[in-house]
Amino acid sequence: MRAALAFRSRPSAWASLVLALMLALLMGGNAMAETLNFDNAPAGSAPAGWTLTMTGKGESKWTVEAEPTAPSKPNVLKQSGRATFPVAIKSDTNIRNGFVEVKFKAVSGSEDRAAGIIWRAKDADNYYVVRAS
């Protein structure tokens, strides 16, 4: 398994307020926030609105799974295949002057335990990426 997207603890109320104020200032007071989770998706299936693929060799396997340790219970998006770089691309996304945050939990891997964020994704072979192990 390469990585399972799960969640770390929530930021404090103070940190959330500071982030919201900074975002509002940067966007001229027109800040919009959206939180995506997989809590309404049926467990064992792929989530709607996502392109679930990979870069390199192997085969990715993405499914929504119940995870009791997730701060946003009950579900997470889990990658359990064996691919060089599994990729999940959210469809119809366009962010300008904003930020993206992902919470993940790397549970296993023979070469690497990592996850990250991609942006400006055109397809599974053309994107920018930042990864954490």
Short mmCIF file of all heavy atoms in Angstrom, two decimals, residues 77-132:
data_model
loop_
_atom_site.label_atom_id
_atom_site.label_comp_id
_atom_site.label_asym_id
_atom_site.label_seq_id
_atom_site.Cartn_x
_atom_site.Cartn_y
_atom_site.Cartn_z
N LEU A 77 -10.53 8.46 2.13
CA LEU A 77 -10.19 7.93 0.82
C LEU A 77 -8.90 7.14 0.99
O LEU A 77 -7.88 7.67 1.42
CB LEU A 77 -10.00 9.05 -0.20
CG LEU A 77 -9.61 8.61 -1.61
CD1 LEU A 77 -10.67 7.70 -2.21
CD2 LEU A 77 -9.37 9.82 -2.49
N LYS A 78 -8.94 5.86 0.68
CA LYS A 78 -7.81 4.96 0.90
C LYS A 78 -7.24 4.48 -0.44
O LYS A 78 -7.98 4.11 -1.33
CB LYS A 78 -8.27 3.76 1.72
CG LYS A 78 -7.18 2.75 2.01
CD LYS A 78 -7.73 1.61 2.86
CE LYS A 78 -6.65 0.61 3.18
NZ LYS A 78 -7.19 -0.50 4.01
N GLN A 79 -5.92 4.48 -0.52
CA GLN A 79 -5.23 3.96 -1.69
C GLN A 79 -4.54 2.68 -1.25
O GLN A 79 -3.66 2.69 -0.41
CB GLN A 79 -4.21 4.97 -2.19
CG GLN A 79 -3.73 4.77 -3.62
CD GLN A 79 -3.04 3.45 -3.90
OE1 GLN A 79 -3.50 2.68 -4.73
NE2 GLN A 79 -1.95 3.17 -3.24
N SER A 80 -4.95 1.54 -1.81
CA SER A 80 -4.40 0.27 -1.38
C SER A 80 -3.78 -0.54 -2.52
O SER A 80 -3.47 -1.70 -2.34
CB SER A 80 -5.48 -0.57 -0.68
OG SER A 80 -6.57 -0.77 -1.55
N GLY A 81 -3.58 0.09 -3.67
CA GLY A 81 -2.95 -0.61 -4.78
C GLY A 81 -1.44 -0.53 -4.68
O GLY A 81 -0.89 -0.06 -3.69
N ARG A 82 -0.79 -1.00 -5.72
CA ARG A 82 0.66 -0.95 -5.79
C ARG A 82 1.05 -0.25 -7.08
O ARG A 82 1.23 -0.89 -8.11
CB ARG A 82 1.24 -2.36 -5.71
CG ARG A 82 0.93 -3.03 -4.38
CD ARG A 82 1.64 -4.33 -4.17
NE ARG A 82 3.10 -4.26 -4.20
CZ ARG A 82 3.86 -3.87 -3.16
NH1 ARG A 82 3.30 -3.47 -2.06
NH2 ARG A 82 5.17 -3.88 -3.27
N ALA A 83 1.15 1.06 -7.00
CA ALA A 83 1.53 1.88 -8.15
C ALA A 83 2.70 2.76 -7.77
O ALA A 83 2.91 3.05 -6.59
CB ALA A 83 0.35 2.74 -8.59
N THR A 84 3.48 3.18 -8.78
CA THR A 84 4.62 4.04 -8.51
C THR A 84 4.17 5.31 -7.79
O THR A 84 4.67 5.64 -6.73
CB THR A 84 5.35 4.41 -9.82
OG1 THR A 84 5.62 3.22 -10.55
CG2 THR A 84 6.63 5.15 -9.55
N PHE A 85 3.21 6.03 -8.38
CA PHE A 85 2.66 7.24 -7.78
C PHE A 85 1.15 7.26 -8.00
O PHE A 85 0.67 7.73 -9.03
CB PHE A 85 3.29 8.50 -8.38
CG PHE A 85 4.76 8.61 -8.14
CD1 PHE A 85 5.65 8.38 -9.17
CD2 PHE A 85 5.25 8.93 -6.89
CE1 PHE A 85 7.03 8.47 -8.96
CE2 PHE A 85 6.61 9.02 -6.66
CZ PHE A 85 7.50 8.80 -7.70
N PRO A 86 0.36 6.77 -7.05
CA PRO A 86 -1.10 6.86 -7.17
C PRO A 86 -1.53 8.32 -7.14
O PRO A 86 -0.96 9.12 -6.40
CB PRO A 86 -1.60 6.12 -5.93
CG PRO A 86 -0.44 5.35 -5.42
CD PRO A 86 0.79 6.08 -5.84
N VAL A 87 -2.53 8.68 -7.94
CA VAL A 87 -2.98 10.07 -8.06
C VAL A 87 -4.50 10.11 -7.98
O VAL A 87 -5.18 9.35 -8.67
CB VAL A 87 -2.50 10.67 -9.40
CG1 VAL A 87 -3.01 12.09 -9.57
CG2 VAL A 87 -0.98 10.65 -9.50
N ALA A 88 -5.02 11.02 -7.16
CA ALA A 88 -6.46 11.29 -7.09
C ALA A 88 -6.66 12.76 -7.44
O ALA A 88 -6.14 13.64 -6.76
CB ALA A 88 -7.00 11.00 -5.69
N ILE A 89 -7.38 13.02 -8.54
CA ILE A 89 -7.59 14.39 -9.03
C ILE A 89 -9.05 14.76 -8.83
O ILE A 89 -9.94 14.10 -9.36
CB ILE A 89 -7.21 14.52 -10.52
CG1 ILE A 89 -5.76 14.09 -10.73
CG2 ILE A 89 -7.45 15.95 -11.00
CD1 ILE A 89 -5.36 13.97 -12.19
N LYS A 90 -9.31 15.84 -8.09
CA LYS A 90 -10.68 16.32 -7.88
C LYS A 90 -11.14 17.03 -9.15
O LYS A 90 -10.48 17.93 -9.65
CB LYS A 90 -10.73 17.28 -6.68
CG LYS A 90 -12.07 17.93 -6.44
CD LYS A 90 -13.05 16.92 -5.91
CE LYS A 90 -14.37 17.56 -5.55
NZ LYS A 90 -15.43 17.30 -6.45
N SER A 91 -12.27 16.60 -9.69
CA SER A 91 -12.81 17.19 -10.92
C SER A 91 -13.36 18.58 -10.64
O SER A 91 -13.76 18.89 -9.52
CB SER A 91 -13.93 16.31 -11.47
OG SER A 91 -13.48 14.99 -11.66
N ASP A 92 -13.40 19.40 -11.67
CA ASP A 92 -14.01 20.74 -11.61
C ASP A 92 -13.49 21.59 -10.47
O ASP A 92 -14.26 22.22 -9.75
CB ASP A 92 -15.54 20.62 -11.52
CG ASP A 92 -16.13 19.87 -12.70
OD1 ASP A 92 -15.59 20.02 -13.81
OD2 ASP A 92 -17.09 19.13 -12.52
N THR A 93 -12.18 21.63 -10.30
CA THR A 93 -11.57 22.44 -9.25
C THR A 93 -10.81 23.59 -9.88
O THR A 93 -10.06 23.41 -10.82
CB THR A 93 -10.61 21.59 -8.39
OG1 THR A 93 -11.34 20.51 -7.85
CG2 THR A 93 -10.00 22.39 -7.28
N ASN A 94 -11.02 24.79 -9.33
CA ASN A 94 -10.31 25.97 -9.81
C ASN A 94 -10.09 26.88 -8.61
O ASN A 94 -11.02 27.54 -8.15
CB ASN A 94 -11.11 26.68 -10.90
CG ASN A 94 -10.32 27.81 -11.52
OD1 ASN A 94 -9.16 28.02 -11.23
ND2 ASN A 94 -10.98 28.55 -12.40
N ILE A 95 -8.87 26.92 -8.10
CA ILE A 95 -8.55 27.73 -6.93
C ILE A 95 -7.57 28.81 -7.36
O ILE A 95 -6.55 28.52 -7.97
CB ILE A 95 -7.92 26.87 -5.82
CG1 ILE A 95 -8.90 25.80 -5.37
CG2 ILE A 95 -7.50 27.75 -4.64
CD1 ILE A 95 -8.30 24.79 -4.42
N ARG A 96 -7.89 30.04 -7.02
CA ARG A 96 -6.98 31.16 -7.28
C ARG A 96 -6.79 31.91 -5.98
O ARG A 96 -7.76 32.20 -5.28
CB ARG A 96 -7.55 32.10 -8.32
CG ARG A 96 -7.68 31.47 -9.68
CD ARG A 96 -8.32 32.45 -10.66
NE ARG A 96 -8.57 31.81 -11.93
CZ ARG A 96 -7.73 31.87 -12.95
NH1 ARG A 96 -6.64 32.56 -12.87
NH2 ARG A 96 -8.02 31.25 -14.07
N ASN A 97 -5.55 32.24 -5.66
CA ASN A 97 -5.25 33.00 -4.46
C ASN A 97 -5.83 32.36 -3.21
O ASN A 97 -6.48 33.01 -2.40
CB ASN A 97 -5.75 34.45 -4.59
CG ASN A 97 -5.14 35.16 -5.77
OD1 ASN A 97 -3.96 34.97 -6.05
ND2 ASN A 97 -5.92 35.93 -6.47
N GLY A 98 -5.63 31.09 -3.07
CA GLY A 98 -6.15 30.39 -1.91
C GLY A 98 -5.15 29.38 -1.40
O GLY A 98 -3.96 29.49 -1.67
N PHE A 99 -5.64 28.43 -0.66
CA PHE A 99 -4.76 27.39 -0.15
C PHE A 99 -5.51 26.08 -0.09
O PHE A 99 -6.73 26.03 -0.09
CB PHE A 99 -4.18 27.75 1.22
CG PHE A 99 -5.20 27.79 2.32
CD1 PHE A 99 -5.44 26.67 3.10
CD2 PHE A 99 -5.90 28.94 2.60
CE1 PHE A 99 -6.37 26.70 4.12
CE2 PHE A 99 -6.84 28.98 3.61
CZ PHE A 99 -7.07 27.86 4.38
N VAL A 100 -4.73 25.02 -0.07
CA VAL A 100 -5.26 23.66 0.00
C VAL A 100 -4.55 22.96 1.14
O VAL A 100 -3.35 23.13 1.33
CB VAL A 100 -5.01 22.89 -1.32
CG1 VAL A 100 -5.45 21.45 -1.19
CG2 VAL A 100 -5.71 23.57 -2.47
N GLU A 101 -5.28 22.18 1.89
CA GLU A 101 -4.73 21.41 2.99
C GLU A 101 -5.22 19.99 2.86
O GLU A 101 -6.39 19.76 2.53
CB GLU A 101 -5.20 22.00 4.31
CG GLU A 101 -4.77 21.23 5.53
CD GLU A 101 -5.31 21.83 6.82
OE1 GLU A 101 -5.98 22.88 6.77
OE2 GLU A 101 -5.08 21.24 7.86
N VAL A 102 -4.34 19.03 3.07
CA VAL A 102 -4.73 17.63 3.07
C VAL A 102 -4.22 17.00 4.36
O VAL A 102 -3.15 17.35 4.86
CB VAL A 102 -4.19 16.87 1.83
CG1 VAL A 102 -2.68 16.79 1.85
CG2 VAL A 102 -4.79 15.49 1.73
N LYS A 103 -5.02 16.13 4.90
CA LYS A 103 -4.63 15.39 6.09
C LYS A 103 -4.49 13.94 5.67
O LYS A 103 -5.38 13.40 5.02
CB LYS A 103 -5.68 15.55 7.17
CG LYS A 103 -5.85 17.00 7.59
CD LYS A 103 -7.00 17.18 8.53
CE LYS A 103 -7.22 18.65 8.82
NZ LYS A 103 -8.35 18.87 9.70
N PHE A 104 -3.36 13.32 6.00
CA PHE A 104 -3.15 11.95 5.57
C PHE A 104 -2.47 11.14 6.66
O PHE A 104 -1.88 11.67 7.58
CB PHE A 104 -2.35 11.89 4.27
CG PHE A 104 -0.90 12.24 4.41
CD1 PHE A 104 0.05 11.25 4.65
CD2 PHE A 104 -0.48 13.55 4.28
CE1 PHE A 104 1.38 11.57 4.76
CE2 PHE A 104 0.86 13.87 4.40
CZ PHE A 104 1.79 12.88 4.64
N LYS A 105 -2.57 9.86 6.49
CA LYS A 105 -1.93 8.91 7.39
C LYS A 105 -1.31 7.82 6.53
O LYS A 105 -2.02 7.07 5.87
CB LYS A 105 -2.98 8.32 8.33
CG LYS A 105 -2.46 7.28 9.29
CD LYS A 105 -3.63 6.81 10.16
CE LYS A 105 -3.29 5.66 11.03
NZ LYS A 105 -4.47 5.24 11.82
N ALA A 106 0.00 7.76 6.51
CA ALA A 106 0.70 6.72 5.75
C ALA A 106 0.75 5.47 6.63
O ALA A 106 1.31 5.50 7.72
CB ALA A 106 2.11 7.19 5.39
N VAL A 107 0.14 4.40 6.16
CA VAL A 107 0.03 3.20 6.99
C VAL A 107 0.97 2.07 6.59
O VAL A 107 1.27 1.21 7.39
CB VAL A 107 -1.42 2.68 7.06
CG1 VAL A 107 -2.30 3.68 7.79
CG2 VAL A 107 -1.97 2.39 5.69
N SER A 108 1.42 2.04 5.35
CA SER A 108 2.38 1.01 4.94
C SER A 108 3.02 1.39 3.63
O SER A 108 2.60 2.31 2.96
CB SER A 108 1.70 -0.36 4.83
OG SER A 108 0.82 -0.37 3.73
N GLY A 109 4.04 0.66 3.28
CA GLY A 109 4.74 0.87 2.02
C GLY A 109 6.08 0.19 2.07
O GLY A 109 6.76 0.25 3.10
N SER A 110 6.49 -0.46 0.99
CA SER A 110 7.76 -1.17 1.00
C SER A 110 8.93 -0.25 0.64
O SER A 110 10.03 -0.44 1.12
CB SER A 110 7.71 -2.35 0.04
OG SER A 110 7.43 -1.91 -1.27
N GLU A 111 8.71 0.75 -0.19
CA GLU A 111 9.76 1.68 -0.58
C GLU A 111 9.55 3.07 0.00
O GLU A 111 10.51 3.76 0.30
CB GLU A 111 9.83 1.78 -2.11
CG GLU A 111 10.24 0.50 -2.78
CD GLU A 111 10.23 0.64 -4.29
OE1 GLU A 111 10.54 1.72 -4.79
OE2 GLU A 111 9.89 -0.34 -4.96
N ASP A 112 8.30 3.46 0.11
CA ASP A 112 8.00 4.83 0.49
C ASP A 112 6.62 4.89 1.14
O ASP A 112 5.70 4.19 0.72
CB ASP A 112 8.01 5.70 -0.77
CG ASP A 112 7.98 7.18 -0.48
OD1 ASP A 112 8.19 7.57 0.68
OD2 ASP A 112 7.74 7.94 -1.42
N ARG A 113 6.49 5.67 2.17
CA ARG A 113 5.18 5.95 2.78
C ARG A 113 4.98 7.45 2.67
O ARG A 113 5.56 8.21 3.43
CB ARG A 113 5.16 5.53 4.24
CG ARG A 113 5.27 4.06 4.43
CD ARG A 113 5.22 3.71 5.89
NE ARG A 113 5.61 2.32 6.06
CZ ARG A 113 5.70 1.73 7.21
NH1 ARG A 113 5.44 2.39 8.31
NH2 ARG A 113 6.05 0.47 7.29
N ALA A 114 4.16 7.87 1.72
CA ALA A 114 4.05 9.30 1.45
C ALA A 114 2.67 9.64 0.91
O ALA A 114 1.91 8.78 0.49
CB ALA A 114 5.11 9.72 0.43
N ALA A 115 2.38 10.93 0.96
CA ALA A 115 1.18 11.48 0.33
C ALA A 115 1.51 12.93 0.01
O ALA A 115 2.55 13.45 0.43
CB ALA A 115 -0.03 11.38 1.26
N GLY A 116 0.63 13.59 -0.70
CA GLY A 116 0.91 14.97 -1.04
C GLY A 116 -0.25 15.62 -1.74
O GLY A 116 -1.36 15.10 -1.78
N ILE A 117 0.03 16.78 -2.28
CA ILE A 117 -0.96 17.58 -3.00
C ILE A 117 -0.43 17.83 -4.40
O ILE A 117 0.75 18.14 -4.59
CB ILE A 117 -1.18 18.94 -2.30
CG1 ILE A 117 -1.71 18.72 -0.88
CG2 ILE A 117 -2.13 19.81 -3.11
CD1 ILE A 117 -1.76 19.98 -0.06
N ILE A 118 -1.30 17.67 -5.39
CA ILE A 118 -0.94 18.03 -6.76
C ILE A 118 -1.79 19.23 -7.16
O ILE A 118 -2.89 19.43 -6.64
CB ILE A 118 -1.11 16.87 -7.76
CG1 ILE A 118 -2.57 16.44 -7.90
CG2 ILE A 118 -0.25 15.69 -7.35
CD1 ILE A 118 -2.80 15.46 -9.02
N TRP A 119 -1.29 20.03 -8.07
CA TRP A 119 -2.06 21.16 -8.58
C TRP A 119 -1.69 21.38 -10.03
O TRP A 119 -0.72 20.83 -10.53
CB TRP A 119 -1.85 22.43 -7.73
CG TRP A 119 -0.48 23.02 -7.75
CD1 TRP A 119 -0.05 24.04 -8.53
CD2 TRP A 119 0.63 22.63 -6.95
NE1 TRP A 119 1.27 24.31 -8.26
CE2 TRP A 119 1.71 23.47 -7.30
CE3 TRP A 119 0.84 21.65 -5.97
CZ2 TRP A 119 2.97 23.37 -6.70
CZ3 TRP A 119 2.09 21.55 -5.38
CH2 TRP A 119 3.13 22.39 -5.74
N ARG A 120 -2.51 22.17 -10.71
CA ARG A 120 -2.40 22.38 -12.15
C ARG A 120 -2.36 21.04 -12.88
O ARG A 120 -1.62 20.87 -13.85
CB ARG A 120 -1.20 23.23 -12.51
CG ARG A 120 -1.34 24.66 -12.08
CD ARG A 120 -0.24 25.51 -12.66
NE ARG A 120 -0.42 26.90 -12.27
CZ ARG A 120 0.43 27.85 -12.58
NH1 ARG A 120 1.50 27.58 -13.27
NH2 ARG A 120 0.19 29.08 -12.20
N ALA A 121 -3.16 20.11 -12.43
CA ALA A 121 -3.18 18.76 -13.02
C ALA A 121 -3.94 18.78 -14.33
O ALA A 121 -5.11 19.14 -14.37
CB ALA A 121 -3.82 17.77 -12.05
N LYS A 122 -3.25 18.42 -15.40
CA LYS A 122 -3.90 18.25 -16.70
C LYS A 122 -4.33 16.81 -16.89
O LYS A 122 -5.35 16.54 -17.48
CB LYS A 122 -2.95 18.68 -17.82
CG LYS A 122 -2.63 20.15 -17.80
CD LYS A 122 -1.71 20.53 -18.91
CE LYS A 122 -1.38 22.01 -18.84
NZ LYS A 122 -0.44 22.41 -19.88
N ASP A 123 -3.50 15.89 -16.40
CA ASP A 123 -3.79 14.46 -16.45
C ASP A 123 -2.83 13.77 -15.49
O ASP A 123 -2.12 14.45 -14.74
CB ASP A 123 -3.66 13.92 -17.88
CG ASP A 123 -2.31 14.20 -18.51
OD1 ASP A 123 -1.27 14.06 -17.82
OD2 ASP A 123 -2.28 14.56 -19.70
N ALA A 124 -2.79 12.45 -15.51
CA ALA A 124 -1.97 11.68 -14.57
C ALA A 124 -0.47 11.85 -14.79
O ALA A 124 0.32 11.41 -13.95
CB ALA A 124 -2.35 10.21 -14.64
N ASP A 125 -0.05 12.45 -15.89
CA ASP A 125 1.37 12.62 -16.16
C ASP A 125 1.83 14.07 -16.17
O ASP A 125 3.01 14.34 -16.36
CB ASP A 125 1.73 11.98 -17.50
CG ASP A 125 1.52 10.47 -17.48
OD1 ASP A 125 1.97 9.83 -16.50
OD2 ASP A 125 0.89 9.95 -18.41
N ASN A 126 0.91 15.01 -16.00
CA ASN A 126 1.24 16.43 -16.10
C ASN A 126 0.63 17.20 -14.93
O ASN A 126 -0.56 17.55 -14.96
CB ASN A 126 0.73 17.01 -17.42
CG ASN A 126 1.41 16.38 -18.60
OD1 ASN A 126 2.58 16.66 -18.88
ND2 ASN A 126 0.70 15.51 -19.29
N TYR A 127 1.45 17.46 -13.89
CA TYR A 127 1.00 18.19 -12.71
C TYR A 127 2.20 18.62 -11.89
O TYR A 127 3.32 18.14 -12.09
CB TYR A 127 0.06 17.33 -11.86
CG TYR A 127 0.61 15.98 -11.47
CD1 TYR A 127 1.47 15.83 -10.38
CD2 TYR A 127 0.26 14.84 -12.18
CE1 TYR A 127 1.97 14.59 -10.03
CE2 TYR A 127 0.76 13.60 -11.82
CZ TYR A 127 1.62 13.48 -10.74
OH TYR A 127 2.11 12.25 -10.40
N TYR A 128 1.98 19.56 -10.99
CA TYR A 128 2.96 19.92 -9.99
C TYR A 128 2.62 19.14 -8.73
O TYR A 128 1.46 18.87 -8.46
CB TYR A 128 2.90 21.42 -9.68
CG TYR A 128 3.32 22.30 -10.83
CD1 TYR A 128 2.39 22.76 -11.75
CD2 TYR A 128 4.65 22.69 -10.96
CE1 TYR A 128 2.77 23.58 -12.80
CE2 TYR A 128 5.04 23.49 -12.01
CZ TYR A 128 4.11 23.94 -12.93
OH TYR A 128 4.49 24.74 -13.96
N VAL A 129 3.63 18.82 -7.92
CA VAL A 129 3.37 18.01 -6.73
C VAL A 129 4.30 18.45 -5.59
O VAL A 129 5.43 18.87 -5.81
CB VAL A 129 3.58 16.50 -7.03
CG1 VAL A 129 5.01 16.20 -7.43
CG2 VAL A 129 3.18 15.65 -5.85
N VAL A 130 3.78 18.35 -4.39
CA VAL A 130 4.57 18.43 -3.17
C VAL A 130 4.20 17.22 -2.34
O VAL A 130 3.02 16.89 -2.23
CB VAL A 130 4.35 19.76 -2.40
CG1 VAL A 130 2.91 19.93 -1.96
CG2 VAL A 130 5.29 19.87 -1.22
N ARG A 131 5.21 16.51 -1.83
CA ARG A 131 4.96 15.26 -1.12
C ARG A 131 5.59 15.30 0.27
O ARG A 131 6.59 15.96 0.47
CB ARG A 131 5.58 14.07 -1.88
CG ARG A 131 4.90 13.75 -3.15
CD ARG A 131 5.62 12.67 -3.93
NE ARG A 131 6.46 11.82 -3.12
CZ ARG A 131 6.36 10.49 -3.07
NH1 ARG A 131 5.48 9.88 -3.79
NH2 ARG A 131 7.17 9.77 -2.32
N ALA A 132 5.00 14.55 1.15
CA ALA A 132 5.55 14.38 2.49
C ALA A 132 5.61 12.88 2.78
O ALA A 132 4.72 12.14 2.43
CB ALA A 132 4.67 15.08 3.53
#
